[in-house]
Amino acid sequence: MCGIIGIASNKPVSINIINSLKKLEYRGYDSAGIATLANNLINEKKCSGRVKELEKILFKTPSDGIVGIGHVRWATHGIPNTINAHPHSSDDVSVVHNGIIENSDELKEQLESKGFRFKSETDTEVITLLVTEYLKQFEPLESVFKTLKKLKGSFALGIIFKNYSDIIIGARRGSPLAVGYSNQENYLGSDSYALKSMTNKISYLDDGELCILSKNNVDFFDLNLKKINKKIHTVSDEENTSNKGDYKNFMYKEIFEQSSTAKKCINEYIDSLKKDINIYNFPFDPNKINKIILIGCGTAFHSCLVAKYWFEELTSIDVEIDIASEFRYRTLKFNSKNLYIFVSQSGETADTAAALEICRENKMKTCSVVNVVESTIARNSDWVLPIHAGPEIGVASTKAFLGQLLVLYILCLKLSSIRKDILKKDYDKNIETLKKLPEAIKKTLKSESDIQLMAQEFLKARGSMFLGRGISFPIALEGALKLKELSYLHAEGYPAGEMKHGPLALIEEGLPVIVIAPKDKYFEKTLSNTQEVIARGGKIFFITDIKKRLMSTNIRFRLRVPFLDNLLSPILFTIPLQLLAYHVALLKNCDIDKPRNLAKSVTVE
Ligand code: M6R
């Protein structure tokens, strides 16, 4: 997490640094800071809280300087306060850092024994002091290089130097870092998104690489400090998402964009003329895949879990799913007939990127399902299937989840057709049904006023449960994740059939229990599980797609979503749960787009 920006220019940089930091806040928002070089001094300003607080400070006391760095923080070492905010500066050097220095305690001890004093509780300050020490003997690039050799862990760094006032040095190990180019101005940034308002010409540092940039020049070096050339990418012009329009916040906008997100994604992948899925560029033979392993974190993991049900239902391929932070440390049996699919909105999630790296090292076939096509995960995988959702700004993932589900479903259909696991008539029918999805999403979104009423009932709750069976179980997990993430209310997602093996003990009078009950092969069983909860006092919110009224009068709320097809029910049933989490959080006055303690892009493990 954490966002880095650096600008070397021929004009003052502080305003552009602040503007970029605002864009980077999705990576961390517990404190912010800036350092510029002016009048032969490092001019550092920082604060706890949001970038707008930093902006106020700069408004009162502006920072001059045509070279500078900025940072938004998601705390790892040390509480989020002004002292621990980045940059961390000595008299000679100022550093912004994304990542974790694992041997910082050891390095701190060594530096303290040499008389250095630390101001903060962060791991980053060791970098500042090591570079400061090396600068007594070496030029900046060599000083940074020697410092990097001492560091264990992951980092993206931006460093400026009091006595070399025209340069910024960047370095990357593990955490992403990009360089942007413009006329008389060059940039360093955590990602292309932060730089997009200034340039669309971007290079990406690979692991172990360094760069040194000034307003007119950028040089890159490999991990042996040998000069290298880097490819310049022209990044796509995404729709302007920094504008919420009439929406109260980004999450709300993103929930309501889902019908057009689905339409766009379907148009990208479905060839309406040929009535076929236009995925042709398989870098492997689909008939020779024995097993698919789907890997992701958080919401992206939930889309893997839904996809497992689809692959099992529609293909003859064996499927496994894994949480990236678990996968990367397991003792794994690799097989050349496996296909590893990495699912990630940002494409920068550290655990997912590390899991991908392990597969690459073992020469496995890799595919990524990502939103950000210029991301690390996309660039490092053999094959990329973009979800075409457009930038997602709200920390809680909504339209990207929908996009991930759609692409995984489409891939599953295509593989099953190539492998002849599905009858042609069923394949055609599934494609036709899929085309009706955007309209069904629109209809589902119309249930908002009912959901607002439901949300009132969660205000006094001490906790909540989300239940589903089969393909609705991952949606129960996703509904619970959304609610806890946004409203800070404890929520547990459970397979309804597991309740009597323990969690039923949690049910008490009035506990809200959301039951996800599409009319599929589990429906009657889910209904029985619902009765067991009612019998123990649970307050039931029953979400279904059947038209018939239910006999039980003890259901507090019944919400109906449109019926399309059992396979697509996870997509439609997710929408009321997103809206529920949103409205509970709104009633509780929570920060919807930036929930406490979180960040949009989780670039530390
Ligand atoms: O960018 P990614 O899709 O890799 O992110 C994975 C998770 O961090 C993310 O889905 C997280 O769980 C969301 N905040 C949930 O809404």
Side-chain angles (χ1 to χ4, degrees), residues 177-181 187-189 195 201-203 205 211 213 218 220:
L177 197 61
V179 163
Y181 310 85
Y187 318 97
L188 193 66
L195 306 179
K201 299 270 175 271
I202 306 278
S203 294
L205 273 80
C211 65
L213 54 108
V218 185
F220 293 93

Side-chain angles (χ1 to χ4, degrees), residues 293-353:
I293 298 99
L294 294 144
I295 299 156
C297 299
T299 287
F301 172 70
H302 295 158
S303 49
C304 299
L305 194 43
V306 174
K308 180 177 162 69
Y309 287 88
W310 283 330
F311 279 102
E312 283 174 353
E313 187 79 26
L314 296 171
T315 76
S316 54
I317 311 172
D318 199 8
V319 200
E320 268 181 31
I321 46 166
D322 221 323
I323 293 175
S325 56
E326 292 296 317
F327 177 91
R328 64 184 288 191
Y329 292 112
R330 300 230 324 269
T331 309
L332 298 159
K333 313 275 176 298
F334 289 104
N335 185 317
S336 59
K337 290 188 173 158
N338 290 355
L339 169 65
Y340 292 81
I341 302 182
F342 298 85
V343 183
S344 173
Q345 186 284 129
S346 61
E348 300 293 353
T349 300
D351 285 318
T352 314

Side-chain angles (χ1 to χ4, degrees), residues 5-26:
I5 178 76
I7 307 181
S9 179
N10 62 350
K11 53 184 189 288
V13 290
S14 63
I15 291 176
N16 278 346
I17 290 181
I18 291 291
N19 289 339
S20 301
L21 287 182
K22 284 182 184 161
K23 295 206 147 178
L24 280 167
E25 268 194 315
Y26 76 91

